[in-house]
Amino acid sequence: MASLCEGSNEPPGSLKASNSQVARDGLYEEALHYSALFSDKILKRSKAERRTESDKLESRGNFQSSQVVAVKGVEWFLQQCGVNPNFPALVLFTDEAQFTRDGITNFHNQHVWAYENPRATVPSHHQVRFSLNMWAGIIGDRLVGPHVLVNRLTGQAYTNFPENTIPHVLEDTPLINRQHIHFLHDGSPAHFSRTARRYLDRRFPDRWIGRGGPIAWPPRSPDLKPLDFYLWGHLKSLVYSSPVPDLESLRNRIVACSEDIRNTPGVWDRVRRSMRHRCEVCIQAGGGHFEHLL
């Protein structure tokens, strides 16, 4: 070992010292690396927390603005009812709903009573799937449709449908009433498209109700639309009373069950009374959730 060190200019302990220096440098770099990772994680967490708080504030602001829109909308509706008690019959309420093969599965309210295990099953999530996107309207004592729409509804596709349908809907309406008919729909992206709003401005000037319209209405308000709080739920309960085997059967059931609803005596008068009551309760709740007050 002495002979090896004789030909070197470094002292005998220099090799061990250099190795120790390398080890210290490696530990220092590793510590810097983990410190940077830890700092980056803290920075990301603080950004996420700030983003969450801003999202909460934005969501709270959107909810409060939606409450204001709801109160103003229902106050206007009740004001029109005070001027003309028949006003709800002059509103064309419209909406879309999707009917699928799976139907409605509510395990909370679905019970099978038997002395022995019935081994009842509810098929869902079928491998072969099909669906229909349906549009319907209610005006006065008439149920319009339902009509089949394309499954992927765009602004142009939605606009083309009322352009071809509404003139036929209003054929049986007296001319004096046509000038006072209002059109109501929700605030879905297809309804809010520029094409749809331009059409409604031409067809129902200052007489259409919805998001971005001359008469504001909360964009997501299922408790304030007759098709949501009555028609679609009742229609689906009839359509899905038994399993649907194919698309044609689904279409035929929708038509047949809609006819049964259409022929129910006094149903639309009860729906209009419920609409007025819901508007009054919505004001009591300050535009917030009021289903528990009905």
Side-chain angles (χ1 to χ4, degrees):
M1 185 67 181
S3 60
L4 289 176
C5 294
E6 286 176 359
S8 174
N9 296 326
E10 299 179 358
S14 63
L15 183 61
K16 184 181 297 185
S18 63
N19 289 339
S20 300
Q21 182 66 33
V22 170
R24 284 196 298 271
D25 292 344
L27 290 174
Y28 180 71
E29 291 178 358
E30 186 176 0
L32 287 178
H33 174 69
Y34 282 109
S35 176
L37 288 178
F38 185 69
S39 300
D40 186 55
K41 184 178 292 186
I42 292 177
L43 183 62
K44 288 182 178 179
R45 182 179 299 174
S46 62
K47 287 182 177 179
E49 290 175 353
R50 289 198 300 270
R51 192 181 305 115
T52 302
E53 290 298 324
S54 63
D55 291 344
K56 287 181 179 178
L57 292 174
E58 183 180 359
S59 176
R60 191 178 301 118
N62 292 337
F63 180 69
Q64 290 175 350
S65 62
S66 178
Q67 287 180 306
V68 173
V69 172
V71 171
K72 289 183 177 179
V74 298
E75 284 179 344
W76 173 87
F77 188 88
L78 293 176
Q79 182 182 4
Q80 299 300 314
C81 293
V83 175
N84 179 11
N86 196 41
F87 175 75
L90 298 176
V91 178
L92 176 57
F93 300 95
T94 67
D95 195 28
E96 301 90 34
Q98 191 173 52
F99 289 74
T100 65
R101 185 180 183 183
D102 290 336
I104 302 174
T105 304
N106 189 339
F107 292 106
H108 182 73
N109 295 329
Q110 189 169 357
H111 305 282
V112 178
W113 302 98
Y115 288 103
E116 298 180 358
N117 186 355
R119 305 194 182 279
T121 60
V122 180
S124 62
H125 303 289
H126 299 82
Q127 185 174 4
V128 179
R129 303 181 182 182
F130 48 82
S131 64
L132 288 173
N133 193 21
M134 307 300 297
W135 177 95
I138 299 174
I139 180 169
D141 293 331
R142 296 173 55 199
L143 172 62
V144 183
H147 297 283
V148 180
L149 295 177
V150 294
N151 283 331
R152 188 177 182 85
L153 191 61
T154 62
Q156 187 61 52
Y158 174 73
T159 305
N160 292 337
F161 178 77
E163 280 183 335
N164 300 325
T165 305
I166 288 180
H168 301 289
V169 171
L170 302 180
E171 282 182 353
D172 299 333
T173 305
L175 185 60
I176 191 173
N177 290 337
R178 293 186 195 180
Q179 302 173 357
H180 303 286
I181 288 180
H182 288 66
F183 181 92
L184 185 148
H185 63 181
D186 60 21
S188 68
H191 299 174
F192 188 62
S193 66
R194 186 176 302 175
T195 307
R197 284 180 285 155
R198 285 177 176 173
Y199 164 74
L200 293 174
D201 285 335
R202 294 194 310 269
R203 187 66 182 80
F204 299 95
D206 297 325
R207 288 184 289 111
W208 68 274
I209 310 167
R211 179 184 173 198
I215 305 167
W217 199 259
R220 294 174 294 275
S221 54
D223 289 329
L224 293 173
K225 291 191 304 177
L227 288 98
D228 276 327
F229 68 72
Y230 168 70
L231 179 66
W232 294 131
H234 184 40
L235 180 58
K236 288 185 177 182
S237 67
L238 298 177
V239 170
Y240 296 127
S241 58
S242 60
V244 182
D246 51 53
L247 184 62
E248 191 61 28
S249 299
L250 178 61
R251 190 192 309 268
N252 294 336
R253 284 195 194 182
I254 294 173
V255 173
C257 295
S258 299
E259 196 64 27
D260 292 340
I261 295 175
R262 184 179 286 112
N263 295 328
T264 304
V267 61
W268 306 121
D269 183 58
R270 294 194 296 271
V271 167
R272 289 192 294 271
R273 290 202 304 269
S274 177
M275 178 69 182
R276 293 191 59 171
H277 176 62
R278 288 166 179 268
C279 289
E280 294 169 353
V281 175
C282 179
I283 295 176
Q284 296 175 10
H289 299 291
F290 59 87
E291 187 177 1
H292 60 289
L293 301 175
L294 296 174

